[in-house]
Amino acid sequence: MSVTATPPTASSVRPLDTTEPRARFVDLVAAEWIKLWSLRSTLWSFLGGTLAIIGFNVFTAYNDYSNWPGWSAQQKAEFMPNWAMLDAFTDAAVLCLMLTASAMGALTVVGEYSTGLIRTTFTAVPARRSVMAAKVIVVTLVTTALGLLAAGGSFWLTQAILSGRDTGLSIGDAGVVPALLASALIAPVAALVGMAIGALVRASAATMGVSFAVLLLVPMAVSDDHHGTAVVDHLLPYSAWARLAQVVEKPVHFPWSEGGAWAVYAAWGLVSAVITVVAVERRDQ
């Protein structure tokens, strides 16, 4: 028995709705915002990272407050203002902030590739660059808020503790605002680096490994004692933060300016954002 295919009639074919408005860029940003905060890990990373960073700094400030009576006169003289500022944002805190932010940035990209959601996203919105640009904006906003909350909260609490020894800094002291901004803005820089590496590597474990190596391990491996390694050191985001966190510039073998450190921040952020947006254009999903 043969079956005769019945061609679709005009009434059975749903006409294309040409009146439906095309997605605007602001709609893509809103969609990425909802997508990011729908992940339970985002909220926990945000809260857990902030509390851990503030905890590291408060612990260090309280130690210095407790040990102050036993310090020599030279140690007390050297404490102000750089060490007082570093109590507001310690090395452990900045490493924790960079880890948290880079992981958040990387997961917004590789998370969609690992689940296959990226195919649905690009089918719904063929303008891939617009999708990735929306991701960049959302991640930058969220991680900037993370950095501002962590740096601001740490500064307020640690300097309140140190003020008990008359060694606390105020927001109006010279160099404090740039140091605080540098501590806050290292978060979006690290997040954009994580996104760019995620867009290139597209595998969660490899992306995390490469991100941590670039952001954390390489700065530990190079020193600024020689010109060649000092140039490499001065091109890294962590080293730029260490330069900007100095309220008063310390003598080093190869000094560099605050402007140079801010330029390193800007270059890493802009180049990473461009890589994230462009990398998806010519590669398969």
Side-chain angles (χ1 to χ4, degrees):
M1 183 176 66
S2 63
V3 178
T4 303
T6 303
T9 61
S11 58
S12 64
V13 177
R14 184 181 179 183
L16 180 65
D17 186 2
T18 57
T19 61
E20 185 175 348
R22 299 180 60 183
R24 300 168 299 174
F25 184 71
V26 68
D27 297 325
L28 298 179
V29 174
E32 293 299 329
W33 179 271
I34 294 171
K35 197 185 297 180
L36 178 63
W37 287 107
S38 66
L39 300 173
R40 188 178 299 176
S41 60
T42 300
L43 179 61
W44 285 114
S45 298
F46 194 98
L47 294 177
T50 302
L51 291 176
I53 292 162
I54 293 177
F56 282 135
N57 297 328
V58 167
F59 178 75
T60 302
Y62 184 75
N63 265 349
D64 288 340
Y65 171 87
S66 301
N67 295 329
W68 180 266
W71 286 0
S72 65
Q74 182 180 358
Q75 287 177 304
K76 291 180 179 178
E78 291 176 347
F79 187 76
M80 288 289 288
N82 275 338
W83 285 109
M85 186 66 220
L86 288 177
D87 275 2
F89 219 76
T90 61
D91 282 344
V94 74
L95 294 179
C96 182
L97 180 58
M98 293 175 77
L99 285 173
T100 303
S102 64
M104 290 178 68
L107 288 176
T108 59
V109 177
V110 296
E112 288 204 38
Y113 279 100
S114 62
T115 60
L117 180 60
I118 197 70
R119 294 188 178 90
T120 304
T121 301
F122 287 156
T123 301
V125 185
R128 298 183 179 188
R129 292 186 179 184
S130 297
V131 172
M132 301 309 288
K135 285 184 184 293
V136 166
I137 290 175
V138 169
V139 169
T140 301
L141 290 175
V142 171
T143 52
T144 299
L146 169 67
L148 288 172
L149 183 62
S154 292
F155 180 80
W156 181 69
L157 287 172
T158 56
Q159 301 313 302
I161 294 171
L162 294 177
S163 65
R165 302 294 185 192
D166 292 328
T167 57
L169 296 170
S170 71
I171 194 70
D173 288 336
V176 169
V177 170
L180 276 178
L181 283 177
S183 299
L185 294 180
I186 193 66
V189 172
L192 290 172
V193 172
M195 290 187 77
I197 295 173
L200 294 173
V201 178
R202 302 185 178 190
S204 300
T207 297
M208 296 300 178
V210 175
S211 298
F212 296 166
V214 171
L215 292 171
L216 307 178
L217 296 182
V218 175
M220 304 299 172
V222 297
S223 71
D224 57 358
D225 294 336
H226 304 283
H227 182 264
T229 55
V231 170
V232 175
D233 184 55
H234 293 177
L235 292 175
L236 299 173
Y238 173 83
S239 303
W241 166 81
R243 170 64 183 88
L244 293 169
Q246 296 174 13
V247 178
V248 175
E249 186 176 356
K250 295 185 294 186
V252 293
H253 295 292
F254 301 96
W256 54 321
S257 66
E258 283 190 14
W262 283 119
V264 171
Y265 263 41
W268 276 90
L270 288 174
V271 171
S272 298
V274 170
I275 291 174
T276 302
V277 172
V278 173
V280 299
E281 189 66 26
R282 297 183 180 277
R283 298 182 64 183
D284 294 335
Q285 299 170 22

